[in-house]
Amino acid sequence: MNLYLRYFDQETLVSSVNEAIEFLKGIDEIGMNPDLEADLREYAASDLLYPKRYKVRQRVYFIVIKTEAATMLDFKEKRALRNSFDGAGHEKAPSPVLMKLNEERDGWYEGAMDFKRVLLVPGTGKFQYRDTHFVARVRAHSGLDCYNRIVDYLRSRVDERSQFPSAKGKNFNFTYLGAAK
């Protein structure tokens, strides 16, 4: 497992924690100390796969990412993604949700979406996010097409700061109603 480290435009891909610590010692602003060194070693030894960010000062961080990439080019081009192979080295099958979402079936769909809508609060003149449930029946070619049509419709009618869920997430569901006549 290699480590990718980045602080603004300074970045490196190293194969050991010691190399990572040497890289960070070369950046004066970070201020390498025993606590930071111990935390880096603990992160590298753990089974955690998510990126870790360390605070340098207010709103300034450096990040550390575990990766299978052997070179910086492989990392940048995402050639070493972890989730495409299982532990035995066999390629994983696409998830059932993705297969159902991309299945081509022309016809009518009912899509339901929970999203964060930006609304003006009367009296204060301020805006807030409100959880909003939206259901529509659309003619589409697949579940993903249904999602895209609903999002396109909503984007033209709600505040542009509203936040829409992923089509693959739990906040979007669809049902195939039948073939179009």
Side-chain angles (χ1 to χ4, degrees):
M1 179 74 56
N2 293 327
L3 298 172
Y4 169 80
L5 292 94
R6 181 172 183 174
Y7 180 70
F8 288 106
D9 61 347
Q10 299 176 22
E11 62 185 358
T12 188
L13 185 71
V14 296
S15 58
S16 71
V17 179
N18 292 334
E19 292 176 45
I21 291 169
E22 288 303 313
F23 171 76
L24 294 172
K25 283 182 180 176
I27 303 172
D28 294 331
E29 293 178 32
I30 291 179
M32 196 63 182
N33 59 44
D35 292 336
L36 180 59
E37 183 176 332
D39 195 56
L40 269 172
R41 290 184 189 283
E42 183 180 324
Y43 171 71
S46 72
D47 292 335
L48 302 175
L49 299 177
Y50 60 85
K52 182 134 182 176
R53 94 183 163 164
Y54 292 91
K55 188 171 188 173
V56 175
R57 59 180 184 277
Q58 187 176 1
R59 288 185 250 147
V60 176
Y61 300 86
F62 74 88
I63 62 167
V64 180
I65 301 172
K66 289 182 179 178
T67 181
E68 297 287 334
T71 66
M72 185 67 80
L73 181 63
D74 289 348
F75 179 78
K76 294 285 183 172
E77 293 182 355
K78 297 180 172 94
R79 290 186 192 154
L81 294 176
R82 299 182 60 80
N83 57 1
S84 62
F85 294 93
D86 62 14
H90 299 97
E91 191 166 351
K92 286 185 179 177
S95 73
V97 173
L98 284 178
M99 289 177 62
K100 185 178 174 190
L101 193 63
N102 292 324
E103 181 182 346
E104 291 282 332
R105 260 170 82 175
D106 190 34
W108 288 97
Y109 288 81
E110 182 174 273
M113 176 182 298
D114 294 322
F115 69 102
K116 301 280 187 187
R117 183 175 183 178
V118 174
L119 293 172
L120 177 66
V121 177
T124 64
K126 294 184 179 181
F127 293 90
Q128 72 179 20
Y129 284 103
R130 284 261 172 93
D131 289 331
T132 305
H133 183 73
F134 183 81
V135 179
R137 291 185 177 178
V138 297
R139 183 168 179 189
H141 301 292
S142 66
L144 185 58
D145 188 33
C146 172
Y147 170 83
N148 290 333
R149 288 174 188 249
I150 290 172
V151 170
D152 289 344
Y153 175 83
L154 289 171
R155 282 193 198 280
S156 65
R157 288 165 176 79
V158 297
D159 191 292
E160 63 187 29
R161 295 170 289 182
S162 297
Q163 298 174 356
F164 299 101
S166 167
K168 303 174 211 167
K170 64 180 181 180
N171 291 325
F172 173 70
N173 296 308
F174 68 93
T175 305
Y176 178 72
L177 299 175
K181 294 181 183 178

